[in-house]
Amino acid sequence: MNQADKKYMDFPLFDAHMHYPHAYLDQALEAYEECGVKAGINLWLIDFNGGYHSNYEEFLVDCNRRGLRKRFIQFFWPEWKEFGWNPDGFVKRTCSDMRRYAALGVRGMKVWKDIGMFNFFADGTPVYLDDERLIPVWKTARELGWTISLHTADPSSHFNPRTKASREFLFKKRDEVIAANPDIPFILCHSANYIEDVKKFSALLDRFPNVCSDLSQLEKLGTDDELRWLFERYSDRLYFGPDMGMPDNRPPDRKWNLEEGYLPWRKKLVDLGLTEATFKKITWENGAKRFL
Ligand SMILES: [Zn+2]
């Protein structure tokens, strides 16, 4: 790293949107250490080599054995498409899995965009988020004190759902679930589900006090002036969380993590010129306060 970049490295990050599997836990730990990611939320279930429930449990047990509970907060990611295949069975098993995983330290769950975009029932009708049969899942989340990371829709530039639903329609379904569960904290993934408009982002946060958001795709959200306005105004409700995923063709190495991922993000946030209080909240304190 050159000297000029060093000034971007001297603050800790809480990354509220990470995905790493058991297979790469060692590399991920090492890489996050190097990138100054001191804690974060891991939204992941399925190991790269396949496997399902047994692997997730094994993963949690291994993380706990290694003392990582306060370093990486685990969120359960159910296989949502099973709800379409077998709604009642899915709900029953998911609620019991949630309790089992909560006992192993899991603090929340991921709800993915396949609901509303890609999942169908056996009769060919689409699965939507406000399906009443999912109410026991939300109820269990509430009882466990879980946070829900909720990802609905895709960016407008490549929005192409097999259900043919519009973004607005899916947002409406999402908002019904949020409104019906005011005591569940929701983190909307990817800058309020790729809302692509700071005014709409702001209106959503004003409407729902239980909603926070992680931040990605800033260039689609607004100008730097608009971003500064949004970040300062809602500094308590935004998380750093760029969704780094995993490299497609190699383990999570230094080049991917630091050079391609975290360093450009660090620079962007520093160069925005936020107040110190807002900067600290978004990069670290909001996550630390809520989860550590
Ligand atoms: Zn993600």
Side-chain angles (χ1 to χ4, degrees), residues 245-264:
M246 282 276 140
D248 288 338
N249 52 0
R250 60 190 201 273
D253 55 16
R254 180 185 192 283
K255 182 175 179 321
W256 166 78
N257 274 282
L258 191 60
E259 288 157 31
E260 296 172 10
Y262 285 104
L263 187 58

Side-chain angles (χ1 to χ4, degrees), residues 17-19 43-44 77 110 112 151 189-190 242-245:
H17 195 129
M18 306 191 297
H19 302 283
L43 311 158
W44 200 253
W77 186 330
K110 168 76 176 236
W112 199 45
H151 175 174
C189 302
H190 314 305
D243 189 16
M244 295 275 290

Side-chain angles (χ1 to χ4, degrees), residues 2 34 37-38 46 59 91 143-144 150-151 155 165 189 196 205 210 260:
N2 63 43
E34 182 159 12
V37 179
K38 298 295 183 194
I46 301 166
F59 177 43
V91 168
E143 285 168 12
L144 294 171
L150 174 50
H151 175 174
C189 302
E196 299 170 359
L205 292 171
N210 54 327
E260 296 172 10

